[in-house]
Amino acid sequence: MSGVRAEIAVSGPSNCPVAALSAETATPVTDVTWSRADETFTEEFRVDSDVAAENTTALADADPVLEVGDERVYQFSREAGPDATCACEVVESLGHPLADVRVEGGDLVLTLHLPGVERLQEVVSDLEAVADDVEMRYLVHAAADGEGRGDRTVVDRGRLTERQREVLATAYELGYFEYPREANATEVAEALDVGLSTFAEHLAAAQGKLLSETLAV
């Protein structure tokens, strides 16, 4: 098989109250589901009741349905059509169901199962038309059958902080990971304008996360 599993973060998706709510709070929005009747999409999501009460502006286009414990269930509707501006609708218009949907910090995070990289490129291209930015969080290829079967491993870059990514990228660019090394720790720390201990701390944290992903620890 040649299928892929991909997680895509869509920044600044238009016409999305869920993303607007998440952008204004530090609380991720989960349990995002929707249904379609004729030419109308109805989307549903849950959010903490206190968060909802403090962010009425972000929820102006959504209607409260009921309260479940400490959470409030909301729904909002939108018209379907050829000029879709909702990221989820864009993906589904290409015939690809979504395996998972959540919203973090204003980013709509979509998980998809696709038949190949070519179809993934089409999805990303269409999403870029309705969003400020589209980032590939991770991509897993199905292993090929028979001889030469690969042992593919996915690394979720989203687990790294921006500073940890910068430290790894700078160390890599300067040749810190080459053998023999083209730059030592002091030189990399100076390029980053941080102390040697700070560099070592960020590097150790980043490498630990990457190894846990690679070795499935």
Side-chain angles (χ1 to χ4, degrees):
M1 295 187 299
S2 60
V4 299
R5 174 183 173 91
E7 182 177 277
I8 303 171
V10 184
S11 301
S14 59
N15 190 28
C16 187
V18 186
L21 173 65
S22 176
E24 294 185 14
T25 71
T27 306
V29 179
T30 57
D31 293 332
V32 183
T33 60
W34 59 90
S35 62
R36 177 172 179 170
D38 296 325
E39 296 303 318
T40 300
F41 276 97
T42 299
E43 191 158 345
E44 181 178 290
F45 59 94
R46 291 190 186 192
V47 65
D48 183 270
S49 296
D50 292 336
V51 172
E54 295 171 0
N55 296 273
T56 55
T57 301
L59 289 166
D61 295 330
D63 298 317
V65 179
L66 77 159
E67 292 197 13
V68 181
D70 296 330
E71 295 182 316
R72 189 174 297 174
V73 179
Y74 281 85
Q75 291 181 353
F76 70 93
S77 299
R78 62 182 183 275
E79 295 300 317
D83 299 322
T85 58
C86 173
C88 298
E89 186 179 348
V90 166
V91 175
E92 290 203 329
S93 69
L94 297 175
H96 301 299
L98 296 168
D100 182 64
V101 182
R102 66 183 188 277
V103 188
E104 301 173 346
D107 290 349
L108 191 63
V109 184
L110 311 173
T111 302
L112 307 92
H113 298 149
L114 299 166
V117 175
E118 294 77 12
R119 290 296 285 165
L120 176 60
Q121 292 172 335
E122 294 178 12
V123 171
V124 170
S125 177
D126 283 10
L127 285 173
E128 288 175 337
V130 300
D132 294 337
D133 185 54
V134 179
E135 175 190 1
M136 185 69 60
R137 289 282 184 86
Y138 69 69
L139 174 64
V140 181
H141 291 259
D145 294 329
E147 294 184 3
R149 178 171 181 170
D151 181 14
R152 299 181 184 272
T153 302
V154 60
V155 175
D156 183 359
R157 296 193 309 164
R159 294 188 59 186
L160 301 177
T161 65
E162 290 186 9
R163 190 55 165 164
Q164 289 168 354
R165 292 189 194 185
E166 181 185 10
V167 167
L168 282 176
T170 302
Y172 180 81
E173 290 170 0
L174 293 179
Y176 179 80
F177 299 109
E178 297 294 331
Y179 183 80
R181 283 179 174 166
E182 298 176 3
N184 58 35
T186 300
E187 292 169 328
V188 178
E190 289 177 351
L192 290 163
D193 195 24
V194 299
L196 188 59
S197 61
T198 300
F199 164 68
E201 180 182 346
H202 284 305
L203 183 64
Q207 289 179 321
K209 290 178 180 179
L210 293 178
L211 285 173
S212 68
E213 289 273 310
T214 303
L215 302 176
V217 176

